[in-house]
Amino acid sequence: MDIDDLTPMAYAAILRAEDVLDILKSELGALATKKATEDDFLKAARRYLRGILRSAREYLDEWGYAEDVNVRDF
């Protein structure tokens, strides 16, 4: 689905991700384009974000933010 088709509330989730980490906004936007409906996107985003939280240090290290971002704050 095109991110322009998201409701303002769902799109706000993508924008909020940028406040956490800039690359996260891009990842969620790309995830939205791979889903057929907003509901599918929101469910997938929830699963994806939970996975990141389970291995936050590894995620930050993968993107080169491990030294710049406090894992606990993230």
Coordinates of all heavy atoms in Angstrom, one line a residue:
M1 N 0.8 -1.2 0.0 CA 0.0 0.0 0.0 C 0.9 1.2 0.0 O 2.0 1.2 0.5 CB -1.0 -0.1 1.2 CG -0.5 0.6 2.5 SD -1.7 0.5 3.8 CE -3.0 1.6 3.3
D2 N 0.4 2.3 -0.6 CA 1.2 3.5 -0.6 C 1.0 4.2 0.8 O -0.1 4.2 1.3 CB 0.6 4.4 -1.7 CG 1.4 5.6 -2.0 OD1 1.4 6.5 -1.1 OD2 2.2 5.7 -3.0
I3 N 2.1 4.8 1.3 CA 2.0 5.4 2.6 C 1.0 6.6 2.6 O 0.5 7.0 3.6 CB 3.3 5.8 3.2 CG1 4.1 6.8 2.3 CG2 4.2 4.6 3.5 CD1 5.3 7.4 3.0
D4 N 0.7 7.2 1.4 CA -0.2 8.3 1.3 C -1.7 7.8 1.6 O -2.5 8.6 1.9 CB -0.2 8.9 -0.1 CG 1.1 9.7 -0.3 OD1 1.7 10.1 0.6 OD2 1.5 9.8 -1.5
D5 N -1.9 6.5 1.5 CA -3.2 5.9 1.8 C -3.4 5.6 3.3 O -4.5 5.2 3.7 CB -3.4 4.6 1.0 CG -3.4 4.9 -0.5 OD1 -3.8 6.0 -0.9 OD2 -3.0 4.0 -1.2
L6 N -2.4 5.8 4.1 CA -2.6 5.6 5.5 C -3.4 6.7 6.2 O -3.4 7.8 5.7 CB -1.2 5.5 6.2 CG -0.2 4.4 5.9 CD1 1.1 4.6 6.5 CD2 -0.8 3.1 6.3
T7 N -4.1 6.3 7.2 CA -4.8 7.3 8.0 C -3.8 8.2 8.7 O -2.6 7.8 8.9 CB -5.8 6.7 9.0 OG1 -4.9 5.9 10.0 CG2 -6.8 5.8 8.4
P8 N -4.2 9.4 9.1 CA -3.2 10.3 9.8 C -2.6 9.6 11.0 O -1.4 9.8 11.3 CB -4.1 11.5 10.1 CG -5.1 11.6 9.1 CD -5.4 10.1 8.8
M9 N -3.4 8.8 11.7 CA -2.9 8.2 13.0 C -1.9 7.2 12.6 O -0.8 7.1 13.3 CB -4.1 7.6 13.7 CG -3.6 7.0 15.1 SD -5.0 6.2 16.0 CE -5.8 7.6 16.6
A10 N -2.1 6.4 11.6 CA -1.1 5.4 11.2 C 0.2 6.0 10.7 O 1.3 5.6 11.0 CB -1.7 4.4 10.2
Y11 N 0.0 7.1 9.9 CA 1.2 7.8 9.4 C 2.0 8.4 10.5 O 3.2 8.5 10.5 CB 0.7 8.8 8.4 CG 1.9 9.4 7.6 CD1 2.6 8.7 6.7 CD2 2.3 10.8 7.9 CE1 3.7 9.3 6.0 CE2 3.3 11.3 7.3 CZ 4.0 10.6 6.3 OH 5.1 11.2 5.7
A12 N 1.3 8.9 11.5 CA 2.0 9.5 12.7 C 2.9 8.5 13.4 O 3.9 8.8 13.9 CB 0.9 10.0 13.7
A13 N 2.6 7.2 13.3 CA 3.5 6.2 13.9 C 4.8 6.1 13.1 O 5.8 6.0 13.7 CB 2.8 4.8 13.8
I14 N 4.7 6.3 11.8 CA 6.0 6.4 11.0 C 6.8 7.6 11.4 O 8.0 7.6 11.6 CB 5.6 6.3 9.5 CG1 5.0 5.0 9.2 CG2 6.9 6.6 8.7 CD1 4.5 4.9 7.7
L15 N 6.1 8.7 11.5 CA 6.8 10.0 11.9 C 7.4 9.9 13.3 O 8.5 10.4 13.5 CB 5.8 11.2 11.7 CG 5.3 11.5 10.3 CD1 4.3 12.6 10.4 CD2 6.4 11.7 9.4
R16 N 6.7 9.3 14.2 CA 7.2 9.2 15.5 C 8.5 8.3 15.6 O 9.3 8.5 16.4 CB 6.2 8.6 16.5 CG 5.1 9.5 16.9 CD 4.2 8.9 17.9 NE 3.0 9.8 18.1 CZ 1.9 9.4 18.5 NH1 1.7 8.1 18.7 NH2 0.9 10.3 18.6
A17 N 8.5 7.4 14.7 CA 9.7 6.5 14.6 C 11.0 7.3 14.4 O 12.0 7.0 14.9 CB 9.5 5.4 13.6
E18 N 10.8 8.4 13.6 CA 12.0 9.2 13.3 C 12.5 9.9 14.6 O 13.7 10.2 14.7 CB 11.7 10.3 12.3 CG 12.9 11.1 11.9 CD 12.5 12.1 10.7 OE1 11.4 12.5 10.7 OE2 13.4 12.3 9.9
D19 N 11.6 10.2 15.5 CA 12.0 10.8 16.8 C 12.9 9.8 17.6 O 13.7 10.3 18.4 CB 10.8 11.2 17.6 CG 10.0 12.3 17.0 OD1 10.6 13.1 16.2 OD2 8.8 12.5 17.3
V20 N 12.7 8.6 17.4 CA 13.5 7.5 18.1 C 14.8 7.3 17.4 O 15.9 7.3 18.0 CB 12.7 6.2 18.2 CG1 13.5 5.1 18.8 CG2 11.4 6.5 18.9
L21 N 14.7 7.1 16.1 CA 15.9 6.8 15.3 C 15.6 7.0 13.8 O 14.6 6.5 13.3 CB 16.4 5.3 15.5 CG 17.8 5.0 15.1 CD1 18.8 5.7 15.9 CD2 18.0 3.5 15.3
D22 N 16.4 7.8 13.1 CA 16.0 8.2 11.8 C 15.8 7.0 10.8 O 14.9 7.0 10.0 CB 17.1 9.1 11.2 CG 18.5 8.6 11.2 OD1 18.7 7.5 11.8 OD2 19.3 9.2 10.5
I23 N 16.6 5.9 10.9 CA 16.5 4.8 10.1 C 15.2 4.0 10.3 O 14.6 3.4 9.4 CB 17.7 3.9 10.2 CG1 17.7 2.8 9.0 CG2 17.7 3.1 11.5 CD1 17.9 3.4 7.7
L24 N 14.7 4.1 11.5 CA 13.4 3.4 11.9 C 12.3 4.0 11.1 O 11.4 3.2 10.6 CB 13.2 3.6 13.4 CG 12.2 2.6 14.0 CD1 12.6 1.2 13.7 CD2 12.2 2.8 15.5
K25 N 12.3 5.3 10.8 CA 11.2 5.9 10.0 C 11.2 5.2 8.6 O 10.2 4.8 8.0 CB 11.4 7.4 9.9 CG 10.4 8.0 8.9 CD 10.7 9.5 8.8 CE 9.8 10.1 7.7 NZ 10.2 11.5 7.4
S26 N 12.4 5.1 8.0 CA 12.5 4.5 6.7 C 12.1 3.1 6.6 O 11.4 2.6 5.7 CB 14.0 4.6 6.2 OG 14.4 6.0 6.1
E27 N 12.5 2.3 7.7 CA 12.1 0.9 7.7 C 10.6 0.7 7.8 O 10.0 -0.1 7.2 CB 12.8 0.2 8.9 CG 14.3 0.1 8.7 CD 14.9 -0.7 9.9 OE1 14.7 -0.4 11.0 OE2 15.5 -1.7 9.5
L28 N 9.9 1.5 8.7 CA 8.5 1.4 8.8 C 7.8 1.9 7.5 O 6.8 1.3 7.1 CB 8.0 2.2 10.0 CG 8.3 1.6 11.4 CD1 7.7 2.5 12.5 CD2 7.9 0.2 11.5
G29 N 8.3 2.9 6.9 CA 7.7 3.3 5.6 C 7.8 2.2 4.5 O 6.9 2.0 3.8
A30 N 9.0 1.6 4.5 CA 9.2 0.5 3.5 C 8.2 -0.7 3.9 O 7.7 -1.3 3.0 CB 10.6 0.0 3.5
L31 N 8.1 -0.9 5.2 CA 7.2 -2.0 5.6 C 5.8 -1.7 5.1 O 5.1 -2.7 4.7 CB 7.2 -2.2 7.1 CG 6.4 -3.3 7.7 CD1 6.8 -4.6 7.2 CD2 6.5 -3.2 9.2
A32 N 5.3 -0.5 5.2 CA 4.0 -0.1 4.8 C 3.8 -0.4 3.3 O 2.7 -0.9 2.9 CB 3.7 1.3 5.1
T33 N 4.8 -0.2 2.5 CA 4.6 -0.4 1.1 C 4.5 -1.8 0.7 O 4.0 -2.2 -0.4 CB 5.8 0.3 0.3 OG1 7.0 -0.4 0.6 CG2 5.9 1.8 0.5
K34 N 4.9 -2.7 1.6 CA 4.8 -4.2 1.3 C 3.5 -4.8 1.8 O 3.3 -6.0 1.6 CB 6.0 -4.9 2.0 CG 7.4 -4.5 1.5 CD 8.4 -5.1 2.3 CE 9.8 -4.6 1.8 NZ 10.9 -5.2 2.6
K35 N 2.7 -4.0 2.4 CA 1.4 -4.6 3.0 C 0.2 -4.1 2.1 O 0.2 -3.0 1.6 CB 1.2 -4.2 4.4 CG 2.4 -4.6 5.3 CD 2.5 -6.2 5.3 CE 3.7 -6.7 6.0 NZ 3.8 -8.1 5.9
A36 N -0.8 -4.9 2.1 CA -2.0 -4.6 1.3 C -2.9 -3.6 2.0 O -3.6 -2.9 1.3 CB -2.7 -5.9 0.9
T37 N -3.0 -3.7 3.3 CA -3.9 -2.9 4.0 C -3.2 -2.2 5.2 O -2.2 -2.6 5.6 CB -5.1 -3.7 4.6 OG1 -4.7 -4.5 5.6 CG2 -5.8 -4.4 3.5
E38 N -3.9 -1.2 5.7 CA -3.3 -0.5 6.9 C -3.3 -1.4 8.1 O -2.3 -1.4 8.8 CB -4.2 0.8 7.2 CG -3.6 1.5 8.4 CD -4.4 2.8 8.6 OE1 -4.3 3.7 7.7 OE2 -5.1 2.9 9.6
D39 N -4.3 -2.2 8.2 CA -4.3 -3.1 9.3 C -3.2 -4.1 9.3 O -2.5 -4.4 10.3 CB -5.7 -3.9 9.4 CG -5.9 -4.7 10.6 OD1 -5.7 -4.1 11.7 OD2 -6.2 -5.9 10.5
D40 N -2.9 -4.6 8.1 CA -1.7 -5.5 7.9 C -0.4 -4.8 8.2 O 0.4 -5.4 8.9 CB -1.6 -6.0 6.4 CG -2.8 -6.9 6.0 OD1 -3.4 -7.5 6.9 OD2 -3.0 -7.1 4.8
F41 N -0.3 -3.5 7.8 CA 0.9 -2.8 8.1 C 1.0 -2.6 9.6 O 2.1 -2.8 10.2 CB 0.8 -1.4 7.5 CG 1.7 -0.4 8.1 CD1 3.1 -0.5 8.1 CD2 1.2 0.7 8.8 CE1 3.9 0.4 8.7 CE2 2.0 1.7 9.4 CZ 3.4 1.5 9.4
L42 N 0.0 -2.2 10.3 CA 0.0 -2.0 11.8 C 0.4 -3.2 12.5 O 1.2 -3.2 13.5 CB -1.3 -1.4 12.3 CG -1.6 0.0 11.8 CD1 -3.0 0.5 12.2 CD2 -0.5 1.0 12.3
K43 N -0.2 -4.3 12.1 CA 0.2 -5.6 12.8 C 1.7 -6.0 12.5 O 2.4 -6.4 13.4 CB -0.7 -6.7 12.3 CG -2.1 -6.6 12.8 CD -3.0 -7.7 12.2 CE -4.5 -7.5 12.7 NZ -5.4 -8.5 12.0
A44 N 2.1 -5.8 11.3 CA 3.5 -6.1 11.0 C 4.4 -5.2 11.7 O 5.5 -5.6 12.2 CB 3.7 -6.0 9.4
A45 N 4.1 -3.9 11.8 CA 4.9 -2.9 12.4 C 5.1 -3.3 13.9 O 6.1 -3.2 14.5 CB 4.4 -1.5 12.3
R46 N 4.0 -3.7 14.5 CA 4.0 -4.1 15.9 C 4.9 -5.2 16.1 O 5.8 -5.2 17.1 CB 2.6 -4.4 16.4 CG 2.5 -4.7 17.8 CD 1.1 -5.0 18.2 NE 1.0 -5.4 19.6 CZ -0.1 -5.8 20.2 NH1 -1.2 -6.0 19.5 NH2 -0.1 -6.2 21.4
R47 N 4.8 -6.3 15.3 CA 5.7 -7.4 15.4 C 7.2 -7.0 15.2 O 8.0 -7.5 15.9 CB 5.3 -8.5 14.4 CG 4.2 -9.4 14.7 CD 4.0 -10.5 13.8 NE 4.0 -10.2 12.4 CZ 2.9 -9.8 11.7 NH1 1.7 -9.8 12.3 NH2 2.9 -9.5 10.4
Y48 N 7.4 -6.2 14.2 CA 8.8 -5.7 13.9 C 9.4 -5.0 15.1 O 10.5 -5.2 15.5 CB 8.7 -4.9 12.6 CG 10.1 -4.5 12.2 CD1 11.0 -5.4 11.7 CD2 10.5 -3.2 12.2 CE1 12.3 -5.1 11.3 CE2 11.8 -2.8 11.8 CZ 12.7 -3.7 11.4 OH 13.9 -3.4 11.0
L49 N 8.6 -4.0 15.6 CA 9.1 -3.2 16.7 C 9.3 -4.0 18.0 O 10.3 -3.8 18.7 CB 8.2 -2.1 17.0 CG 8.1 -1.0 15.9 CD1 7.0 0.0 16.1 CD2 9.4 -0.3 15.7
R50 N 8.5 -5.0 18.2 CA 8.7 -5.9 19.4 C 10.0 -6.7 19.2 O 10.7 -6.9 20.2 CB 7.5 -6.8 19.6 CG 6.3 -6.1 20.2 CD 5.3 -7.1 20.5 NE 4.2 -6.4 21.3 CZ 3.2 -7.0 21.8 NH1 2.9 -8.3 21.5 NH2 2.3 -6.4 22.5
G51 N 10.2 -7.1 18.0 CA 11.5 -7.9 17.7 C 12.7 -7.0 17.9 O 13.7 -7.5 18.5
I52 N 12.6 -5.8 17.5 CA 13.7 -4.8 17.8 C 13.9 -4.7 19.3 O 15.1 -4.7 19.7 CB 13.4 -3.5 17.1 CG1 13.6 -3.6 15.6 CG2 14.4 -2.4 17.6 CD1 13.1 -2.4 14.8
L53 N 12.9 -4.5 20.0 CA 13.0 -4.3 21.5 C 13.6 -5.5 22.2 O 14.3 -5.3 23.1 CB 11.7 -3.9 22.1 CG 11.1 -2.6 21.7 CD1 9.7 -2.4 22.3 CD2 12.1 -1.5 22.2
R54 N 13.3 -6.7 21.6 CA 13.9 -7.9 22.2 C 15.4 -8.0 22.0 O 16.1 -8.6 22.8 CB 13.3 -9.1 21.7 CG 11.9 -9.4 22.3 CD 11.4 -10.8 21.9 NE 11.1 -11.0 20.5 CZ 9.9 -10.7 20.0 NH1 8.9 -10.2 20.8 NH2 9.7 -10.8 18.7
S55 N 15.9 -7.3 21.0 CA 17.3 -7.4 20.7 C 17.8 -6.0 20.3 O 18.4 -5.8 19.2 CB 17.7 -8.4 19.6 OG 16.9 -8.1 18.4
A56 N 17.5 -5.0 21.1 CA 17.9 -3.6 20.8 C 19.3 -3.4 20.6 O 19.7 -2.7 19.7 CB 17.4 -2.7 22.0
R57 N 20.2 -4.0 21.4 CA 21.6 -3.8 21.2 C 22.1 -4.3 19.9 O 22.9 -3.6 19.2 CB 22.4 -4.5 22.4 CG 23.9 -4.2 22.3 CD 24.6 -4.8 23.5 NE 24.0 -4.4 24.8 CZ 24.2 -3.3 25.4 NH1 24.9 -2.3 24.9 NH2 23.7 -3.1 26.6
E58 N 21.6 -5.4 19.5 CA 22.0 -6.0 18.2 C 21.5 -5.1 17.0 O 22.2 -4.8 16.0 CB 21.5 -7.4 18.0 CG 22.2 -8.4 18.9 CD 21.7 -8.4 20.3 OE1 20.6 -7.8 20.6 OE2 22.3 -9.1 21.2
Y59 N 20.3 -4.6 17.2 CA 19.7 -3.7 16.1 C 20.5 -2.5 16.0 O 20.9 -2.0 14.9 CB 18.2 -3.4 16.5 CG 17.6 -2.4 15.5 CD1 17.1 -2.8 14.4 CD2 17.6 -1.0 15.8 CE1 16.5 -1.9 13.5 CE2 17.0 -0.1 15.0 CZ 16.4 -0.6 13.8 OH 15.9 0.3 12.9
L60 N 20.8 -1.8 17.1 CA 21.6 -0.6 17.1 C 23.0 -0.8 16.5 O 23.5 0.0 15.8 CB 21.7 0.0 18.5 CG 20.4 0.6 19.0 CD1 20.5 0.9 20.5 CD2 19.9 1.8 18.2
D61 N 23.6 -2.0 16.9 CA 24.9 -2.3 16.4 C 24.9 -2.5 14.9 O 25.8 -2.1 14.1 CB 25.5 -3.5 17.1 CG 26.9 -3.8 16.8 OD1 27.7 -2.8 16.8 OD2 27.3 -5.0 16.5
E62 N 23.8 -3.2 14.4 CA 23.7 -3.5 13.0 C 23.7 -2.2 12.1 O 24.2 -2.1 11.1 CB 22.4 -4.3 12.7 CG 22.1 -4.6 11.3 CD 20.8 -5.3 11.1 OE1 20.5 -6.1 12.0 OE2 20.2 -5.2 10.1
W63 N 23.0 -1.2 12.7 CA 22.9 0.1 12.0 C 24.0 1.1 12.3 O 24.0 2.2 11.9 CB 21.6 0.7 12.2 CG 20.5 0.0 11.5 CD1 19.6 -0.8 12.0 CD2 20.2 0.1 10.1 NE1 18.7 -1.3 11.0 CE2 19.1 -0.8 9.8 CE3 20.8 0.7 9.0 CZ2 18.6 -1.0 8.5 CZ3 20.3 0.6 7.7 CH2 19.3 -0.3 7.5
G64 N 25.0 0.7 13.2 CA 26.1 1.5 13.5 C 25.7 2.6 14.6 O 26.4 3.6 14.6
Y65 N 24.7 2.4 15.3 CA 24.3 3.3 16.4 C 24.7 2.9 17.8 O 24.4 3.6 18.8 CB 22.8 3.6 16.3 CG 22.4 4.4 15.1 CD1 21.8 3.8 14.0 CD2 22.5 5.8 15.1 CE1 21.4 4.5 13.0 CE2 22.0 6.5 14.1 CZ 21.5 5.9 13.0 OH 21.1 6.6 11.9
A66 N 25.3 1.7 17.9 CA 25.5 1.2 19.2 C 26.3 2.1 20.2 O 26.1 2.1 21.4 CB 26.2 -0.2 19.1
E67 N 27.2 2.9 19.6 CA 28.1 3.8 20.4 C 27.4 5.1 20.6 O 27.7 5.8 21.6 CB 29.4 4.0 19.7 CG 30.1 2.7 19.4 CD 31.4 2.5 20.0 OE1 32.0 3.5 20.5 OE2 31.9 1.4 20.0
D68 N 26.4 5.5 19.8 CA 25.8 6.8 19.9 C 24.5 6.8 20.6 O 24.0 7.9 21.0 CB 25.5 7.3 18.4 CG 26.8 7.4 17.6 OD1 27.9 7.7 18.2 OD2 26.8 7.2 16.4
V69 N 23.8 5.7 20.7 CA 22.5 5.6 21.3 C 22.5 4.7 22.6 O 23.0 3.6 22.5 CB 21.4 5.1 20.3 CG1 20.1 4.9 21.0 CG2 21.4 6.0 19.1
N70 N 22.0 5.3 23.7 CA 21.9 4.5 24.9 C 20.8 3.4 24.7 O 19.6 3.8 24.4 CB 21.5 5.4 26.1 CG 21.4 4.7 27.4 OD1 20.7 3.7 27.5 ND2 22.1 5.2 28.3
V71 N 21.1 2.2 24.9 CA 20.2 1.1 24.7 C 19.0 1.2 25.6 O 17.9 1.0 25.2 CB 20.9 -0.3 24.8 CG1 19.9 -1.4 24.8 CG2 22.0 -0.5 23.8
R72 N 19.2 1.6 26.8 CA 18.1 1.7 27.8 C 17.1 2.8 27.3 O 15.9 2.6 27.4 CB 18.6 2.0 29.1 CG 17.5 2.1 30.1 CD 18.1 2.3 31.5 NE 17.3 1.3 32.3 CZ 17.8 0.6 33.2 NH1 19.0 0.6 33.5 NH2 17.0 -0.2 33.9
D73 N 17.6 3.9 26.8 CA 16.7 5.0 26.3 C 16.0 4.5 25.1 O 14.9 4.9 24.9 CB 17.5 6.2 26.0 CG 18.1 6.9 27.3 OD1 17.6 6.6 28.4 OD2 19.0 7.7 27.2
F74 N 16.7 3.8 24.2 CA 16.1 3.4 23.0 C 15.0 2.5 23.3 O 13.9 2.6 22.7 CB 17.2 2.6 22.1 CG 16.7 2.1 20.9 CD1 16.4 2.9 19.8 CD2 16.5 0.7 20.7 CE1 15.9 2.4 18.6 CE2 16.0 0.2 19.5 CZ 15.7 1.0 18.5

